[in-house]
Amino acid sequence: SVEALVEPELLSWARTTAGLDLAEAARRVAVDVERLTSWEAGERRPTIPQLRNLARVYRRPLAAFYLPEQPPDLRPPKDFRRLPGEVAGVESPELRYELRRAVARRDFALELLAANDEEPPSLVVEATPIDSSERLGSEIRSYLGITLAQQYRWRPPYGPFNAWRDAIESVGALVTQLTDIEVSEARGFSISDRPLPVIAVNIKDSPNGRTFSLLHEFVHLILRQGGLCDLEDEQERPRELLRIERFCNRTAANTLMPESAFLSQSVVTNHGANIEWSDLELQQAARRFGVSREAVLRRLLDLGRTSQDHYQEWHEAFQAEYRRAREGRSPGFAPPAQMALASAGPTFAGLVVNSYQRGTITAGDVSNALAIRLKHLPTIERRLRMDSVAREI
């Protein structure tokens, strides 16, 4: 029953920046609206256990409620998604948290590098939306050091994503995964601040879908135009945003499926001039390059090997298939160490663990940074060692 001596303004700040109105916040905290309103008005105070519950719901550390003043709000990212009324301009509390977490991870990573007297790799390649997407795709492959021979050897379903992620992190970016966001809200986002820009892709997407999102967001970094994305480029939105999204999609496709290699594969050469493609043919091409069937079909459209109507017909079929899969998918369970690594990414997790082993940070810092209990740390250390050995083979 001990009251928490916090400023009412901080309670209101934490709720609004979490993206919750009074009614939804009260429901999640399991109090009535009148009580929550009285806390924010300073008429009453929450107890210590109630404040802990508020911190859990608002996804803020308990110490945030004892700050001397409100911290500055997170600068909202540019929103490349569909028009307001559909997706754009609205972020769920879960997405707002993921945006804050990405910024916090980047800041912490830079602090750790500085404490260890290390410099982050510098992402040097740049481009503009008026450049050739084909030429830029070739430059990206060369910059990342990925050959077609390597790409053809990657084993599905996770080999392609892991390989592209490792290559992108090696040139100076952090790659994380969103764990609690619906694909319909965001396929991913990017923060183009340098050094150490950030890419986040949605773990609820298919592995091949994540691979395309990863390259799409990498192009955003190269353009220095980070933001929230759903990768839709057929639906209306402001012209400049649509132009950038289409350029990122085309460049990602050119990177993953270079024109000469794509057109020379047997499934394409044997198909002839027919503009209609079967599901089996799309699957064969998708497996070859480690991408989705939809990415293959869009590549065919860009190269003039199918029609807009045929693409649209398949696009609608794929969307319906994705919806059925999401509706029928059980939540499943992943071990905490595996989920922590998937969310944080190997570069950030490795930096945190190495800093702890060197005595730069405490065990509590590790627990906070990776959102795990310390009993899972040995498993994370073992998985990082195994991943490191696998990269050397």
Side-chain angles (χ1 to χ4, degrees):
S1 62
V2 176
E3 291 184 342
L5 302 179
V6 295
E7 292 296 325
E9 293 81 5
L10 288 173
L11 297 177
S12 176
W13 160 80
R15 174 181 59 78
T16 55
T17 55
L20 296 168
D21 59 24
L22 281 166
E24 179 61 16
R27 185 188 69 79
R28 296 191 184 199
V29 179
V31 299
D32 55 50
V33 174
E34 290 74 17
R35 181 179 293 269
L36 186 58
T37 302
S38 69
W39 291 344
E40 293 187 4
E43 298 167 357
R44 302 171 69 176
R45 284 196 174 102
T47 64
I48 296 296
Q50 287 171 331
L51 182 63
R52 289 199 183 98
N53 199 23
L54 288 171
R56 177 186 62 79
V57 169
Y58 298 161
R59 297 195 171 189
R60 294 284 186 179
L62 197 65
F65 295 91
Y66 291 94
L67 293 170
E69 59 183 12
Q70 296 180 20
D73 289 343
L74 177 68
R75 178 167 51 91
K78 186 175 291 187
D79 200 334
F80 291 92
R81 298 174 300 166
R82 285 158 283 181
L83 286 174
E86 296 177 356
V87 174
V90 178
E91 300 91 36
S92 67
E94 292 76 19
L95 182 52
R96 289 191 179 206
Y97 169 69
E98 290 285 6
L99 287 164
R100 293 199 307 270
R101 183 159 69 162
V103 172
R105 280 171 169 164
R106 174 179 178 268
D107 291 344
F108 191 47
L110 289 172
E111 289 178 14
L112 294 180
L113 288 169
N116 295 333
D117 293 323
E118 298 178 28
E119 291 286 337
S122 179
L123 185 62
V124 297
V125 62
E126 293 189 12
T128 69
I130 64 173
D131 291 334
S132 163
S133 59
E134 183 177 354
R135 184 172 64 251
L136 181 57
S138 178
E139 290 176 1
I140 290 173
R141 290 188 74 96
S142 176
Y143 183 59
L144 297 179
I146 290 178
T147 66
L148 284 166
Q150 291 172 318
Q151 187 175 354
Y152 295 154
R153 291 196 301 267
W154 294 334
R155 299 176 62 181
Y158 294 102
F161 172 75
N162 290 338
W164 284 108
R165 179 191 60 190
D166 289 348
I168 286 174
E169 289 203 317
S170 72
V171 298
L174 288 179
V175 178
T176 68
Q177 297 193 73
L178 315 176
T179 58
D180 198 25
I181 309 298
E182 292 303 319
V183 175
S184 57
E185 182 176 13
R187 302 287 293 272
F189 64 76
S190 49
I191 300 171
S192 53
D193 297 342
R194 301 189 186 187
L196 217 58
V198 181
I199 292 172
V201 297
N202 198 327
I203 203 169
K204 293 187 177 182
D205 208 346
S206 68
N208 286 341
R210 277 178 261 171
T211 299
F212 195 90
S213 295
L214 179 63
L215 270 296
H216 174 99
E217 298 300 339
F218 187 64
V219 181
H220 272 285
L221 297 188
I222 293 172
L223 297 177
R224 291 184 178 263
Q225 293 270 4
L228 284 164
C229 300
D230 60 12
L231 275 66
E232 290 283 348
D233 64 7
E234 295 295 325
Q235 300 192 20
E236 185 182 358
R237 72 198 71 190
R239 180 179 299 177
E240 178 60 19
L241 300 186
L242 186 58
R243 184 169 74 101
I244 292 174
E245 282 300 87
R246 286 176 172 168
F247 179 80
C248 290
N249 279 342
R250 287 196 306 272
T251 305
N254 273 299
T255 305
L256 291 163
M257 298 168 280
E259 180 176 349
S260 59
F262 184 82
L263 293 179
S264 63
Q265 60 179 320
S266 60
V267 67
V268 176
T269 58
N270 294 338
H271 182 82
N274 186 4
I275 64 171
E276 296 190 353
W277 295 79
S278 70
D279 190 45
L280 179 60
E281 290 173 316
L282 297 178
Q283 288 181 39
Q284 290 173 340
R287 282 195 299 270
R288 179 70 165 163
F289 292 96
V291 297
S292 67
R293 291 169 297 162
E294 186 169 8
V296 167
L297 194 67
R298 184 53 190 256
R299 191 75 174 113
L300 291 167
L301 178 65
D302 290 342
L303 294 173
R305 300 302 297 269
T306 191
S307 67
Q308 181 67 45
D309 288 343
H310 187 59
Y311 169 79
Q312 194 61 38
E313 180 182 346
W314 267 115
H315 176 73
E316 293 172 3
F318 290 142
Q319 295 304 309
E321 182 180 311
Y322 300 151
R323 285 193 296 270
R324 289 193 299 270
R326 288 195 296 269
E327 291 167 359
R329 184 186 301 137
S330 61
F333 173 79
Q338 179 180 335
M339 184 57 71
L341 272 175
S343 172
T347 293
F348 180 76
L351 180 59
V352 170
V353 170
N354 289 338
S355 297
Y356 172 64
Q357 293 170 342
R358 296 169 64 171
T360 308
I361 58 176
T362 67
D365 294 326
V366 176
S367 180
N368 290 331
L370 300 181
I372 57 160
R373 295 181 179 178
L374 290 177
K375 66 180 182 179
H376 300 300
L377 182 55
T379 304
I380 288 180
E381 291 174 324
R382 184 169 62 254
R383 290 181 69 97
L384 285 171
R385 285 195 300 271
M386 291 171 59
D387 289 345
S388 178
V389 170
R391 290 189 190 98
E392 294 174 0
I393 297 175

